[in-house]
Amino acid sequence: MTIAISHIRTASNAQTTWNMKRISSFLYFLSNVALSSGQLRGLQSLSPEDTVTISSPGGCSGEQEAYIDIFKSSTTSLVAPTILLLPGGAYNLIDDIVEDIVPQYINGGYNVAVLYYRLPRSATTQSWLVCSDPWEAIEDVSSAMEVLDDNSQQYNIDTSQIVLSGFSAGAHLTALYSSFCERKDLCPRAQVLHFPFLEKGSKLFCSDVGSAFLNTQDYDDCNPTSLVDAATPPTILYHAEGDTIVPTNQMTDFVTAFGEENTAYEYYEVPNGGHYLVPFSQVAAISGGNLTSTGTYASLVDRALNLPTPSCVRCDDIPTNWMTNNDKTCDNSSWHINNKCNDDTNWVVERYCRASCFEAGRGYPNEICCPKKEVVVEEECIECTDTPTPWMLNNVKTCSDSTSSIESNCNETPWWTSNSYCQKSCYDAGRGYDGVVCCV
């Protein structure tokens, strides 16, 4: 997909265009043209430095364009760490957490880019359905990261210190993006996740357009809990035990996954509260001295940036143009892997076949690729029979005491296969029939 990036405001006319845009959004609301666009709320007290449109029209209305509002740090530093903020709203609107959190981040010394991503649910009609491709939102995060990277000098961005901060649906989107990100220049240094919309967000992303997403049962491929791996960026997680939209057990499972993968994280679970931010002093009170009561939620970003980075990165395997034109991949281009990789300047610059080069011991400088996470697929089992053959019956034998027959026949003799003789005994001997998994 080609993303058209257009700067629609500069600092000189920022306030005028900001006001016009809000008026325009309100008129859209009244006319019900883009009711679910999510672009109806935002800061009233601050003007962004710039606004950048980063997508073609999409979302449920078919007319929503993703954009980012960029705010510069209040400090005098020429270059500052930057927060890409992904607000929540259940994927059918963008809520007003922006009004509360952006000033805290700016006063904490961070640049902030607020992403208004395209939304796959309607805020007004049939909100239980997925009404547009939810993966448009992932494209929007990638495009936003690309804008920040490409325009780092203009916005005083330290590209090595970009943090994703997400709330509710935005936190799910943050974690999902971080789970798939492979391009080093487009992956966050760290992430801060506030009450992520784990189960419902995962079901939505793994549902077909037009379907009722809550009915989806198979959603591991879109679930950040299942996708945590050694390359997951350092993570701060915030939650309140009184949250009924994201129950604590979902967060507990998520945190357990971080521990199992030895991924750097800190988890702050405040008592009471709900699906919102409590006064920061309450977070500080349960932080074990990590946070001070006079701090703000920008302190969670500070903590995230001080956590150790992963020891390896997720590596893609992008072929060269020649490979693509000749129906080749990195996997079946052994000559190129043996003769190019870190010996070819162009390959080093373009980072072709990163995973294959690394596996061949010819990886790129200062890069260690994480091993691919093994996905265990649980096959459905059946209660297997152990029906003896006619010969066994005539000779008062059973499958369990016919070892030689099991070793000689089972899945190698068509007659046995067609009749599923000694199904359980054959399976236990490692000679089970194709497609049959016997329950233990």
Side-chain angles (χ1 to χ4, degrees):
M1 176 179 176
T2 301
I3 303 296
I5 299 175
S6 60
H7 293 263
I8 61 174
R9 180 177 54 248
T10 60
S12 60
N13 62 357
Q15 188 63 57
T16 300
T17 310
W18 172 257
N19 292 333
M20 291 299 295
K21 184 180 202 178
R22 295 303 163 200
I23 293 171
S24 176
S25 290
F26 182 65
L27 292 175
Y28 270 130
F29 177 85
L30 292 179
S31 63
N32 203 30
V33 171
L35 192 58
S36 64
S37 71
Q39 302 180 20
L40 307 178
R41 300 185 182 185
L43 291 168
Q44 303 300 317
S45 57
L46 289 173
S47 278
E49 178 79 14
D50 203 358
T51 292
V52 184
T53 301
I54 60 173
S55 78
S56 55
C60 289
S61 68
E63 298 182 12
Q64 182 191 359
E65 294 180 327
Y67 67 90
I68 52 175
D69 282 333
I70 299 173
F71 303 84
K72 285 189 178 179
S73 164
S74 62
T75 69
T76 58
S77 173
L78 293 178
V79 177
T82 298
I83 297 169
L84 178 57
L85 173 61
L86 278 59
Y91 285 118
N92 64 357
L93 54 85
I94 298 294
D95 68 23
D96 53 8
I97 191 67
V98 176
E99 181 80 30
D100 298 323
I101 203 70
V102 169
Q104 295 185 42
Y105 287 161
I106 291 175
N107 293 332
Y110 295 102
N111 298 319
V112 182
V114 182
L115 172 61
Y116 294 85
Y117 46 91
R118 290 169 291 179
L119 299 167
R121 294 178 62 199
S122 169
T124 58
T125 59
Q126 296 183 308
S127 61
W128 60 89
L129 297 179
V130 180
C131 53
S132 64
D133 184 2
W135 292 91
E136 286 182 338
I138 290 287
E139 293 177 1
D140 296 340
V141 181
S142 180
S143 297
M145 291 289 286
E146 190 167 3
V147 168
L148 298 180
D149 184 67
D150 290 345
N151 299 278
S152 58
Q153 291 187 339
Q154 178 182 350
Y155 301 127
N156 297 340
I157 293 172
D158 181 350
T159 57
S160 68
Q161 301 283 291
I162 296 179
V163 178
L164 292 187
S165 176
F167 292 77
S168 192
H172 171 263
L173 183 60
T174 292
L176 191 60
Y177 176 81
S178 296
S179 298
F180 293 116
C181 186
E182 294 180 333
R183 272 188 56 181
K184 183 178 181 181
D185 55 337
L186 299 185
C187 294
R189 162 65 177 80
Q191 59 183 356
V192 180
L193 308 178
H194 305 82
F195 38 89
F197 200 52
L198 286 170
E199 182 176 297
K200 291 180 180 177
S202 302
K203 287 185 173 184
L204 189 149
F205 267 74
C206 272
S207 297
D208 295 328
V209 175
S211 66
F213 67 93
L214 290 179
N215 292 336
T216 299
Q217 298 300 313
D218 183 8
Y219 54 89
D220 279 353
D221 289 344
C222 310
N223 187 354
T225 300
S226 303
L227 298 171
V228 173
D229 61 15
T232 299
T235 303
I236 300 293
L237 302 110
Y238 163 85
H239 188 252
E241 67 178 8
D243 190 336
T244 57
I245 295 176
V246 180
T248 297
N249 67 292
Q250 292 182 22
M251 292 298 295
T252 301
D253 290 344
F254 197 19
V255 170
T256 298
F258 279 87
E260 290 175 346
E261 294 293 333
N262 295 316
T263 302
Y265 76 95
E266 289 179 0
Y267 178 47
Y268 298 102
E269 172 92 23
V270 298
N272 304 314
H275 199 68
Y276 52 82
L277 289 179
V278 301
F280 186 75
S281 59
Q282 295 183 32
V283 186
I286 54 91
S287 70
N290 289 339
L291 306 165
T292 62
S293 60
T294 57
T296 69
Y297 277 95
S299 301
L300 297 186
V301 181
D302 299 341
R303 296 293 304 176
L305 285 172
N306 281 305
L307 291 175
T309 57
S311 58
C312 59
V313 296
R314 219 174 278 118
C315 290
D316 51 24
D317 228 16
I318 298 175
T320 65
N321 291 334
W322 181 91
M323 291 179 188
T324 301
N325 293 334
N326 289 272
D327 295 323
K328 296 285 188 179
T329 66
C330 298
D331 288 334
N332 60 17
S333 299
S334 57
W335 183 91
H336 290 83
I337 299 301
N338 292 330
N339 291 276
K340 299 289 187 177
C341 292
N342 54 16
D343 285 334
D344 187 292
T345 302
N346 186 51
W347 276 52
V348 173
V349 171
E350 299 295 336
R351 289 292 204 266
Y352 291 125
C353 300
R354 290 167 68 205
S356 293
C357 287
F358 182 80
E359 291 171 3
R362 300 171 56 77
Y364 295 113
N366 304 315
E367 182 170 84
I368 299 175
C369 296
C370 297
K372 297 291 185 182
K373 185 176 181 179
E374 293 185 8
V375 179
V376 178
V377 179
E378 295 184 2
E379 298 180 85
E380 186 176 352
C381 66
I382 63 172
E383 292 297 328
C384 290
T385 60
D386 224 19
T387 305
T389 65
W391 181 89
M392 292 179 189
L393 290 173
N394 293 333
N395 289 272
V396 197
K397 296 281 188 179
T398 66
C399 295
S400 58
D401 59 14
S402 300
T403 305
S404 59
S405 293
I406 298 297
E407 292 178 351
S408 303
N409 297 291
C410 288
N411 54 14
E412 292 187 5
T413 302
W415 183 50
W416 276 52
T417 301
S418 61
N419 289 281
S420 296
Y421 288 130
C422 300
Q423 195 179 52
K424 183 68 166 63
S425 293
C426 288
Y427 182 82
D428 291 342
R431 300 171 61 80
Y433 298 113
D434 288 344
V436 175
V437 178
C438 297
C439 297
V440 177

